[in-house]
Amino acid sequence: MELELRHLKTIRAIAEAGSLTRAATVLGLAQPALSAQLRRIERALGGALFERGRHGVRTTALGELVLERTRIVLPAVSELQREAARFARSQREGERARLRLGGTHGPLLGALVDRLADAAPGTAVTTCASWSERELAEMLKQGRLDFALSGTCGLAPPPDSPHLVWAEIAVDPVFVMLADGHRLARGREIELAALADEQWACVPGDGCFADCFTAACARAGFTPRRMYETDTASCVHLVQVGRAVGLCRATFPPTPGLAIRPLAGTPLMWRHLLGWHPAGQRPGTAATVLAQAREAHAGAVARSDSYAYWLAERRSTPAGGLAPVTAPAAGSIPPGQGVG
């Protein structure tokens, strides 16, 4: 009998279950059938893989060796299947000139679609929005997206960086938005400590931003009173009516009823990223999409008066002060490296 992948899966299931009875239930087999299959596998491998006892089974030295190899072989085969499916799908969809873009909340996704309509007029572009950076990364891995606009807080690594390519689009400060009638709205910048008594509104996410914000508040000497997690439109409404103040990216578009202001000392930063799977994209396509994403970000910066003022102040800071923040010109980050 030749050893097959299903046999390795059977060995793994028995080891994980700890008994033939439980393993048979997991595999959907009768216990006698599983016992007979295990005997055939052990004959093919030349020795016993498990010692039977009153309380279940325990792996032998040979069993440990086989299990160790199984932990390498099975994930590798699964990844090979996903890679092949991704490649075949990208070949088919490449013939139809399609781009599937994903992105977290924010105006950058729409701006990128607009720019690609001019840069690649024959390409059909579809979009998928999600608040979850991890979900977007998983969709890239599965070949359900071609590119994803995501981001990380400060120097945190992007999701699943060992398997995906992440390129930096730009790094922005995090600003605060207030009702235009708020007592602090007339200031050029706002101390985080001055907002200690406020309630907050933000969109959800599964990165470390919430922890970074809490840590920044702790450094400023307070704990946030309440955080409303909701969609962007609801956050804007809560701020406009004075129920909360909100954190936003510096490129947040001018909005009636809102004042967008920098936080003094820039306690929080946001890194914009473009991600893709290296097996599913041609280098030329990735370079085009990345260039257009950076242009889309530059356009958003140009439309923000508060961000333009903040940048002008940074550039005029004397030596020894804060260094200017600009969109980097770095290329893609090789698989296995984070952006930090």
Side-chain angles (χ1 to χ4, degrees):
M1 184 188 79
E2 291 188 359
L3 198 65
E4 301 176 14
L5 284 176
R6 62 188 180 91
H7 298 143
L8 298 181
K9 292 177 181 178
T10 296
I11 295 168
R12 181 180 64 182
I14 294 171
E16 290 177 350
S19 79
L20 290 177
T21 302
R22 288 192 292 270
T25 301
V26 171
L27 295 170
L29 299 173
Q31 183 176 332
L34 179 59
S35 297
Q37 185 181 100
L38 177 59
R39 287 194 294 272
R40 289 194 296 271
I41 295 171
E42 289 177 327
R43 283 198 298 270
L45 291 173
L49 301 177
F50 299 97
E51 294 177 353
R52 284 77 163 174
R54 292 177 56 190
H55 302 292
V57 297
R58 185 175 60 182
T59 53
T60 63
L62 176 61
E64 285 294 338
L65 173 67
V66 174
L67 274 174
E68 182 181 346
R69 300 296 189 273
T70 297
R71 295 186 186 103
I72 298 171
V73 171
L74 290 180
V77 171
S78 296
E79 181 62 20
L80 172 62
Q81 291 174 325
R82 289 193 292 268
E83 291 270 1
R86 268 194 303 268
F87 183 82
R89 192 181 298 115
S90 68
Q91 291 293 100
R92 293 193 301 270
E93 293 176 354
E95 295 170 1
R96 297 196 295 269
R98 263 184 74 188
L99 275 181
R100 298 160 302 166
L101 305 180
T104 51
H105 43 263
L108 199 55
L109 180 59
L112 176 57
V113 171
D114 181 40
R115 293 196 62 84
L116 287 173
D118 293 329
T123 301
V125 179
T126 59
T127 60
C128 172
S130 171
W131 60 265
S132 170
E133 291 90 353
R134 293 195 186 100
E135 180 182 29
L136 292 173
E138 188 62 29
M139 293 176 75
L140 287 175
K141 285 175 60 181
Q142 294 173 0
R144 294 161 56 198
L145 286 178
D146 297 308
F147 294 93
L149 288 168
S150 187
T152 63
C153 178
L155 299 178
D160 217 341
S161 52
H163 300 96
L164 303 174
V165 176
W166 291 100
E168 191 175 276
I169 299 169
V171 181
D172 289 336
V174 174
F175 282 7
V176 63
M177 56 182 177
L178 315 93
D180 56 9
H182 193 281
R183 59 186 174 83
L184 299 174
R186 293 186 180 182
R188 282 294 190 180
E189 63 177 17
I190 298 172
E191 295 283 348
L192 184 57
L195 301 168
D197 294 330
E198 302 287 347
Q199 299 185 103
W200 295 82
C202 72
V203 291
D206 52 11
C208 65
F209 185 80
D211 293 335
C212 293
F213 169 63
T214 301
C217 292
R219 290 192 296 271
F222 72 96
T223 300
R225 286 178 56 201
R226 178 183 294 178
M227 179 68 76
Y228 298 104
E229 281 196 343
T230 183
D231 60 277
T232 302
S234 297
C235 286
V236 168
H237 176 75
L238 288 170
V239 174
Q240 286 171 326
V241 300
R243 293 290 182 187
V245 299
L247 297 168
C248 64
R249 299 165 195 179
T251 52
F252 195 86
T255 305
L258 291 186
I260 310 296
R261 296 291 180 265
L263 288 168
T266 316
L268 295 165
M269 301 292 291
W270 184 258
R271 188 178 296 242
H272 298 274
L273 301 169
L274 179 73
W276 65 91
H277 196 288
Q281 294 305 323
R282 299 179 178 90
T285 304
T288 297
V289 176
L290 177 59
Q292 295 306 315
R294 287 175 174 164
E295 289 295 328
H297 176 268
V301 172
R303 290 188 294 271
S304 172
D305 292 339
S306 57
Y307 197 6
Y309 178 84
W310 186 88
L311 286 171
E313 281 205 327
R314 298 273 291 199
R315 293 184 181 113
S316 64
T317 300
L322 295 173
V325 173
T326 58
S332 62
I333 300 164
Q337 292 186 352
V339 297

